[in-house]
């Protein structure tokens, strides 16, 4: 441990130890300012491949590249002091073979400083999880609705209803037994989430999977009301920042047109005034 390491910092083993304890608080972040905002409150900050839809306007997560994940990972790293940063491996960067997954995960870890990666998939990806975990790459699993398989599922439907439940249980057990330190359960019925949480040895992190899980995750833009009119049942909008921002932009536009902005306090005098914050030339635009 280096002399400067933050002792409060979360690690994959500390996350695993929270099984059955105080629920784990997890959110996504894609930028430095948002990472700074969520870090004091979170155990885990996920640089999710949802970044493609949320920040880049892509129709699904399938177009997200390794380079995008690395760039956003580096930005988030600069904003974190204590949360565990996990980075999503994007579609096409890990499914081919355990070796491909290791090569790309090692690059993501080296270039971003993240301590773990997340892979979507259950039984089919278990061998890869085992390969990574044995080689110094902590893995968070992701089962249930796995958005990278949207074309296979034919949409973003709830998974594991009725007899389909056994498939999700097998996936979660496979991921856990392969050595993942936690697993995201996305969009599954409450009873199934409770059963899986009781059966797997690692913490379950729910998104649309009820409070029966060992922790919760949301896309930060969804819970802040920033991602348009996207209102799935499982998202609670804790505020409406999108509406507040739109109202502010409308006021700005009106004030510019009416020459009410900039006002006297935003304008530079010919000679600097002593009280002028920009007189010292410290202001970015002085
Ligand atoms: O990409 C993402 O943001 C995610 C979650 C919200 C679990 O995978």
């Amino acid at each position: 441990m280096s002399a400067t390491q933050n002792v409060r910092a979360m690690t994959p083993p500390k996350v695993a130890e929270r099984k059955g304890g105080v629920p784990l608080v997890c959110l996504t972040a894609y930028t430095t300012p948002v990472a700074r905002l969520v870090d004091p409150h979170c155990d885990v900050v996920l640089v999710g491949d949802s970044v493609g839809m949320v920040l880049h306007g892509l129709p699904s997560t399938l177009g997200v590249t390794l380079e995008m994940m690395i760039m956003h990972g580096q930005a988030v790293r600069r904003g974190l002091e204590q949360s565990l940063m996990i980075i999503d491996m994007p579609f096409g960067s890990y499914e081919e073979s355990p070796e491909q997954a290791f090569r790309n995960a090692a690059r993501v870890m080296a270039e971003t400083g993240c301590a773990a990666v997340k892979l979507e998939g259950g039984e089919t990806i278990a061998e890869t999880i085992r390969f990574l975990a044995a080689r110094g790459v902590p893995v968070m699993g992701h089962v249930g609705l796995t958005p990278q398989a949207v074309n296979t599922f034919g949409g973003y439907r709830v998974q594991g209803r009725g007899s389909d439940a056994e498939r999700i249980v097998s996936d979660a057990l496979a991921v856990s037994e392969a050595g993942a330190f936690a697993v995201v359960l996305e969009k599954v019925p409450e009873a199934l989430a409770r059963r899986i949480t009781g059966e797997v040895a690692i913490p379950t992190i729910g998104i649309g999977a009820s409070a029966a899980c060992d922790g919760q995750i949301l896309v930060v833009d969804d819970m802040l009301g920033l991602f348009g009119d996207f209102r799935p049942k499982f998202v609670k909008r804790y505020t409406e920042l999108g509406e507040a921002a739109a109202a502010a932009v409308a006021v700005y536009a009106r004030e510019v047109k009416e020459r009410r902005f900039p006002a006297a306090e935003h304008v530079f005098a010919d000679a600097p005034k002593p009280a002028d914050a920009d007189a010292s030339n410290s202001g970015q635009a002085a």
Side-chain angles (χ1 to χ4, degrees):
M1 186 165 87
S2 91
T4 54
Q5 191 167 345
N6 180 354
V7 288
R8 282 179 63 225
M10 280 305 273
T11 61
K14 284 188 193 169
V15 167
E17 279 166 20
R18 289 271 289 276
K19 176 76 188 168
V22 177
L24 288 150
V25 179
C26 317
L27 279 173
T28 65
Y30 319 113
T31 63
T32 308
V34 173
R36 287 201 179 111
L37 189 83
V38 303
D39 183 53
H41 308 283
C42 283
D43 298 302
V44 167
V45 172
L46 172 72
V47 185
D49 61 352
S50 50
V51 66
M53 300 170 78
V54 175
L55 290 197
H56 294 267
L58 295 175
S60 75
T61 57
L62 299 184
V64 175
T65 64
L66 208 55
E67 285 67 31
M68 286 163 77
M69 296 311 299
I70 289 172
M71 189 190 72
H72 287 286
Q74 290 168 340
V76 168
R77 175 76 274 161
R78 291 178 208 119
L80 296 184
E81 283 184 18
Q82 59 97 29
S83 310
L84 173 66
M85 178 169 84
I86 302 178
I87 297 195
D88 254 343
M89 296 299 290
F91 181 63
S93 72
Y94 63 94
E95 301 90 331
E96 202 175 309
S97 65
E99 288 79 6
Q100 181 215 24
F102 180 78
R103 202 167 39 252
N104 287 327
R107 180 174 164 213
V108 166
M109 291 175 82
E111 294 185 26
T112 67
C114 73
V117 297
K118 177 163 79 61
L119 309 187
E120 292 186 9
E123 285 187 323
T124 54
I125 213 72
E127 183 198 348
T128 296
I129 294 177
R130 184 168 285 109
F131 189 90
L132 296 185
R135 286 164 178 77
V137 182
V139 178
M140 172 180 262
H142 184 156
V143 305
L145 175 66
T146 47
Q148 291 174 12
V150 59
N151 291 312
T152 309
F153 291 139
Y156 295 99
R157 275 187 286 279
V158 174
Q159 299 293 307
R161 283 193 164 132
S163 59
D164 191 35
E166 299 311 315
R167 176 178 64 88
I168 313 289
V169 173
S170 304
D171 279 345
L173 285 170
V175 161
S176 170
E177 284 158 13
F181 67 90
V183 61
V184 168
L185 281 187
E186 179 160 351
K187 230 171 165 183
V188 298
E190 179 171 11
L192 178 58
R194 182 168 290 108
R195 177 176 162 200
I196 291 174
T197 301
E199 288 190 22
V200 299
I202 54 177
T204 55
I205 311 296
I207 174 161
S210 88
C213 298
D214 297 300
Q216 298 297 323
I217 187 161
L218 283 176
V219 168
V220 70
D221 294 62
D222 290 345
M223 56 88 76
L224 294 178
L226 272 171
F227 189 43
D229 214 22
F230 182 63
R231 292 170 189 273
K233 183 179 168 75
F234 60 85
V235 172
K236 177 171 175 182
R237 289 170 81 127
Y238 284 81
T239 183
E240 292 293 346
L241 290 191
E243 281 175 14
V249 171
V251 173
Y252 166 74
R254 196 168 59 241
E255 290 191 356
V256 168
K257 288 182 193 152
E258 294 171 357
R259 296 192 190 281
R260 288 197 288 131
F261 177 83
E265 66 267 32
H266 309 118
V267 175
F268 298 105
D270 198 24
K273 298 177 193 158
D276 193 335
D278 288 320
S280 64
N281 209 18
S282 61
Q284 209 183 351

